[in-house]
Amino acid sequence: MALGTAFRAFFAALFDAAAAERIGAAIDSAAPVPPPAGSTAGMIVESAPPQTPVAPQSVQPLRSDAIALLGVLQREARFVDLVKENLAQFSDAQIGAAARPCLQQCASALDRMVGLVPIESSPDGSIVSVAESASAAHYQWIGEGESASGKLVHHGWTASKVELPHWTGNRVDAMVVAPAQIKRG
């Protein structure tokens, strides 16, 4: 009986995120089940040190930060509309005219939410020295050689903050980047 239930729970959790949450919640909140009468299961044979209680795993947010960010960029700059548009039907001048305000509004939203700042303050083309202990996430070497200095090709970016909107909606709406707009009349 228990083995069959375990298999059913395993496959339900594997293929259904909602079932996985319910199973996890049931396991986390379940009271200990006493062993069957006459069983030696659960008997303490030796004195063991008390175990520190394990903190419950944090609940995953209903909406990912990526969807929140895309939603803001769409709402404030129509970013998704621009990148999903079939650009083949427009001239370069038309694309540029549409892209300029979108890019300016995206930059404003990104500055407000993630505070993008350059990793390297020197201008592109400058010779910069990189400490031997510098993180590969901060500095990427291009080309051959073993020198600790080189020509700056791109200054890189890092976030100085992350202030994305907190999702308060329903689970069914969590993946919506932008609602469909319908004009009445």
Side-chain angles (χ1 to χ4, degrees), residues 8-181:
R8 286 186 20 237
F10 171 77
F11 286 106
L14 186 62
F15 296 110
D16 184 352
E21 281 187 40
R22 290 192 309 271
I23 292 166
I27 291 171
D28 292 343
S29 66
V33 177
S39 170
T40 58
M43 296 180 86
I44 299 175
V45 176
E46 295 180 14
S47 176
Q51 292 188 357
T52 307
V54 177
Q57 292 181 357
S58 62
V59 177
Q60 289 209 347
L62 293 177
R63 185 178 212 190
S64 80
D65 289 344
I67 298 296
L69 181 59
L70 275 176
V72 170
L73 293 176
Q74 173 62 19
R75 184 174 58 251
E76 295 185 20
R78 306 293 280 201
F79 172 75
V80 176
D81 291 345
L82 180 67
V83 298
K84 294 299 287 179
E85 185 68 47
N86 178 6
L87 299 178
Q89 60 187 333
F90 300 106
S91 70
D92 288 349
Q94 290 173 311
I95 294 169
R100 182 181 310 276
C102 175
L103 294 173
Q104 289 169 332
Q105 292 161 347
C106 283
S108 175
L110 289 173
D111 285 343
R112 188 180 73 252
M113 291 184 299
V114 293
L116 292 173
V117 294
I119 290 174
E120 187 60 52
S121 60
S122 302
D124 289 354
S126 301
I127 301 298
V128 296
S129 293
V130 178
E132 191 174 310
S133 62
S135 166
H138 281 76
Y139 293 94
Q140 176 186 26
W141 288 102
I142 300 171
E144 301 296 322
E146 297 294 322
S147 176
S149 64
K151 180 178 168 182
L152 182 65
V153 177
H154 185 273
H155 54 71
W157 293 105
T158 189
S160 63
K161 62 182 178 180
V162 177
E163 296 175 1
L164 295 174
H166 178 71
W167 178 251
T168 58
N170 297 323
R171 178 178 303 278
V172 69
D173 299 326
M175 297 299 282
V176 173
V177 172
Q181 296 176 331

